Amino acid sequence: MSIAIYPGSFDPVTLGHLNIIKRASACFDKLIVCVMVNSKKHGMFTPEERVELLRQSTARFPNVEVDFSNEVLAAYARRRRAHLRAVSDFEQEVQMAVINRKLNPRLETMFLASSEKYTYLSSTIVKEMARYGADLEDFVPREIVEAVNQRMRELEGTEAKEG
């Protein structure tokens, strides 16, 4: 059985992420979409909330499992018996691919580019658009549009109280 991992912060999951998930799930027997901790990023959603949003967004893909890990990816992949890692951000990920291969020689990295209509899209851009009240329908899975908008309203309410 071929098992691949698509790691990321997914804060929030975008249509670009979903495009990679759809295409990678067609390539492997099982795709684990794993919410990972990025110490450099302060999340809009908790890891548990991101897992739930991903589950809602990927429910139509029967061979996709959503998980969370705060382990080093190489250790997580070894524990889950996964040998392929699907990623979409080439520039940042080349260095991580080399490090992960050093830590877990059985872990291969496969780079998948999202469809050209999503190449500009990132979670950071989605959060900025949500901050300005833009319509998010073309940027995040429809299942989570309201959750993103609601969280942004909550965050703006907190900032207003603090300011």
Side-chain angles (χ1 to χ4, degrees):
M1 172 182 255
S2 63
I3 302 172
I5 298 172
Y6 180 20
S9 56
F10 304 107
D11 187 42
V13 60
T14 69
L15 290 178
H17 293 133
L18 202 58
N19 179 260
I20 296 290
I21 291 166
K22 177 182 178 181
R23 291 172 46 236
S25 71
C27 296
F28 305 104
D29 296 324
K30 181 177 189 174
L31 177 66
I32 302 169
V33 179
C34 189
V35 173
M36 306 293 286
V37 174
N38 183 335
S39 62
K40 295 178 184 175
K41 294 183 180 180
H42 180 69
M44 179 180 194
F45 292 97
T46 67
E48 295 79 15
E49 289 169 327
R50 287 181 248 163
V51 166
E52 181 53 34
L53 294 173
L54 274 161
R55 285 186 178 142
Q56 291 173 28
S57 302
T58 62
R60 63 184 172 269
F61 305 114
N63 64 329
V64 171
E65 175 188 334
V66 179
D67 199 6
F68 166 76
S69 178
N70 56 7
E71 299 172 79
V72 171
L73 180 62
Y76 177 80
R78 184 176 293 118
R79 182 170 60 79
R80 295 301 311 266
R81 293 186 169 88
H83 301 292
L84 289 161
R85 175 175 168 253
V87 297
S88 56
D89 188 349
F90 185 78
E91 290 180 22
Q92 290 184 339
E93 296 295 343
V94 169
Q95 184 178 24
M96 287 305 302
V98 173
I99 291 168
N100 282 314
R101 180 76 178 201
K102 183 91 171 153
L103 295 171
N104 181 352
R106 298 184 69 204
L107 182 62
E108 294 288 345
T109 297
M110 181 173 146
F111 293 92
L112 295 174
S114 66
S115 175
E116 64 279 350
K117 67 183 181 178
Y118 301 119
T119 56
Y120 67 92
L121 193 55
S122 70
S123 295
T124 301
I125 289 171
V126 167
K127 288 183 264 195
E128 191 67 14
M129 289 188 310
R131 180 170 279 112
Y132 289 102
D135 182 359
L136 301 179
E137 294 278 330
D138 291 334
F139 308 105
V140 300
R142 69 183 182 288
E143 297 90 349
I144 71 163
V145 169
E146 185 50 38
V148 174
N149 286 327
Q150 177 61 35
R151 179 53 49 91
M152 188 52 68
R153 288 190 293 270
E154 292 168 4
L155 292 173
E156 287 177 343
T158 301
E159 289 173 4
K161 288 178 186 176
E162 291 175 0

